[in-house]
Amino acid sequence: MHFGTVIVVVGEPQVPCIFMFGDSFVDAGNNNELLTLAKANYPPYGIDFPQGVTGRATNGLTIVDAIAQLLGFPNFIPPYATATSAQIASGVNYGSAGSGIQDQTGSNQGMVISLRNQILRHAEILVRLALLKRNIRFTKQYIKKCIYVVDSGTNDYFAYFRNGVNSTYTPDQYAAYLIKQYSDRLKFLYQLGARKIAVFGLGLIGCSPAEITLLGTNGAPCVEPLNNAVKLFNERLEPLIDTLNNELYNARFTFINISNFYAAPDVSGLSKVPCCPLSPKGLCVPYSTPCPDRNLTFYYDGFHPTEFVNRFHASRSYNAASPMDASPYDISHLAQLNQDVGYHIVL
Ligand SMILES: *[C@@H]1O[C@H](CO)[C@@H](O)[C@H](O)[C@H]1NC(C)=O
Ligand SMILES: *[C@@H]1O[C@H](CO)[C@@H](O)[C@H](O)[C@H]1NC(C)=O
Ligand SMILES: *[C@@H]1O[C@H](CO)[C@@H](O)[C@H](O)[C@H]1NC(C)=O
């Protein structure tokens, strides 16, 4: 027997682990070593992050970092690319900037890890975890108690609008097509033992400065066709969550309504001018000087909110301030649900 490990408990998190899937709103460094243009691993990204530049596409914490803190995790959840065996039991971040629900989304930027491939990596991590714990039944029970957050689809919409909205799919058909694929991915995650799954709706991405520059607004404050297309997606995602909860035994999916947070007085008055100088792709110019007070602007670059906004979005996801923020549960309630109810565990 090996008794050598000293575990310093700095306060117990509310759930044993958290696994994160998605795009650049989630990525904590998985793209750094990939041959891709979708990277944020240079200054001034990370200027307010304790470890500086990591690949996070903001000045400090991402929304999922902030959610993990609210759940009581004392350390940042490591990216899959660098996660050690000692770290994986408290969770892994699989996010990949530029990726989407469709496998091909982001491939024009080089190599990115699609949502499907992120879930395949999760399957591999679960095998590693079961070997470490040397107990498959324990591991199956353990991973049911964890929280899973999934935030994907933004890049699928960017791709749709880059190609020009055309007759291949109407916005409504495109939303239906993406939701069908999303449904398959989420069921796959459930089959791998996930039970408490928070799925993020898409934000008002037509208001991001880079999209406004690229697509134009015809005098409106935001790119309305893009926001309208995203709304069709969100309107299908919320009922999908209800369907999955009804169809899958003991599933506890929840829809987090990011779009609903934009009008909140806490963030609606922030400057919409990006904090850093933008490259033609809408990312920060490498080694440029960002705005001095990052708490006063909504966007850090042309697409991504500042830590200040990420923290606010996380706090509303965690503790809903309105019934429209999260349905059926906010993340604090999701954490408290008992996933063993209904199971007869033979000991
Ligand atoms: C639709 O978009 C695709 C991809 O960019 C393009 O190849 C095709 O010609 C477009 N079709 C129409 C009718 O504009
Ligand atoms: C910005 O907000 C964070 C919390 O989100 C706070 O810790 C920090 O002190 C604020 N910075 C300034 C300059 O106000
Ligand atoms: C999500 O928020 C939007 C924007 O406020 C709102 O129109 C919509 O009804 C909300 N969705 C749900 C399911 O509450």
Side-chain angles (χ1 to χ4, degrees):
M1 287 293 262
H2 178 219
F3 293 103
T5 314
V6 177
I7 297 168
V8 181
V9 178
V10 188
E12 279 298 296
Q14 293 160 37
V15 289
C17 44
I18 177 166
F19 293 98
M20 304 152 165
F21 303 83
D23 51 32
S24 55
F25 296 131
V26 174
D27 195 345
N30 286 311
N31 279 20
N32 293 353
E33 304 304 321
L34 297 184
L35 287 173
T36 177
L37 300 172
K39 290 190 197 208
N41 61 340
Y42 55 83
Y45 289 110
I47 189 168
D48 299 314
F49 194 76
Q51 283 90 53
V53 172
T54 58
R56 287 170 171 80
T58 181
N59 57 308
L61 273 60
T62 63
I63 182 170
V64 292
D65 291 327
I67 287 171
Q69 280 195 349
L70 291 168
L71 286 166
F73 287 91
N75 300 314
F76 293 108
I77 302 301
Y80 170 88
T82 63
T84 64
S85 294
Q87 292 174 321
I88 60 175
S90 58
V92 175
N93 180 325
Y94 304 98
S96 173
S99 71
I101 296 169
Q102 299 175 88
D103 291 337
Q104 70 271 28
T105 292
S107 53
N108 59 331
Q109 306 188 64
M111 225 183 130
V112 302
I113 306 146
S114 66
L115 183 59
R116 183 209 302 270
N117 284 329
Q118 292 177 34
I119 300 172
L120 286 169
R121 287 172 164 208
H122 181 58
E124 177 219 311
I125 286 285
L126 294 180
V127 172
R128 264 167 80 183
L129 194 60
L131 290 171
L132 281 168
K133 303 266 183 198
R134 300 193 186 174
N135 187 331
I136 286 175
R137 187 193 295 157
F138 170 83
T139 303
K140 281 184 175 169
Q141 290 302 321
Y142 181 85
I143 61 170
K144 270 183 206 150
K145 298 180 184 135
C146 303
I147 291 216
Y148 300 74
V149 291
V150 190
D151 186 355
S152 194
T154 294
N155 289 311
D156 300 283
Y157 273 94
F158 287 159
Y160 181 57
F161 276 77
R162 292 295 176 280
N163 296 337
V165 178
N166 69 26
S167 53
T168 315
Y169 289 105
T170 65
D172 199 49
Q173 288 168 334
Y174 192 63
Y177 163 79
L178 286 180
I179 288 292
K180 170 72 182 76
Q181 295 207 8
Y182 213 4
S183 172
D184 293 344
R185 305 291 181 273
L186 294 172
K187 284 179 181 168
F188 181 19
L189 193 54
Y190 171 90
Q191 282 156 9
L192 294 175
R195 292 296 177 269
K196 302 181 178 194
I197 308 172
V199 183
F200 288 75
L202 303 184
L204 301 180
I205 57 178
C207 299
S208 49
E211 293 304 302
I212 289 175
T213 303
L214 190 72
L215 301 172
T217 65
N218 280 321
C222 299
V223 184
E224 293 308 327
L226 182 48
N227 281 347
N228 291 340
V230 158
K231 190 160 178 275
L232 296 174
F233 176 87
N234 288 337
E235 284 170 359
R236 286 175 183 266
L237 182 56
E238 204 267 340
L240 169 66
I241 296 308
D242 292 337
T243 304
L244 293 173
N245 282 336
N246 290 332
E247 283 181 359
L248 303 174
Y249 179 70
N250 245 351
R252 299 289 190 271
F253 286 86
T254 193
F255 169 73
I256 305 293
N257 197 0
I258 296 283
S259 284
N260 199 42
F261 305 154
Y262 283 66
D266 307 63
V267 293
S268 62
L270 296 173
S271 163
K272 299 297 188 303
V273 177
C275 178
C276 68
L278 299 187
S279 73
K281 291 198 116 13
L283 299 176
C284 292
V285 171
Y287 297 92
S288 59
T289 305
C291 61
D293 191 345
R294 272 75 68 183
N295 290 0
L296 301 180
T297 63
F298 194 97
Y299 293 100
Y300 192 57
D301 62 12
F303 303 102
H304 304 101
T306 53
E307 170 182 311
F308 183 83
V309 172
N310 287 335
R311 279 188 187 273
F312 176 70
H313 286 182
S315 74
R316 288 280 288 259
S317 314
Y318 183 74
N319 262 329
S322 124
M324 282 204 297
D325 282 356
S327 63
Y329 321 103
D330 62 22
I331 292 176
S332 70
H333 286 91
L334 191 63
Q336 298 313 317
L337 295 172
N338 181 352
Q339 273 328 94
D340 291 335
V341 171
Y343 270 92
H344 299 283
I345 302 161
V346 182
L347 293 172

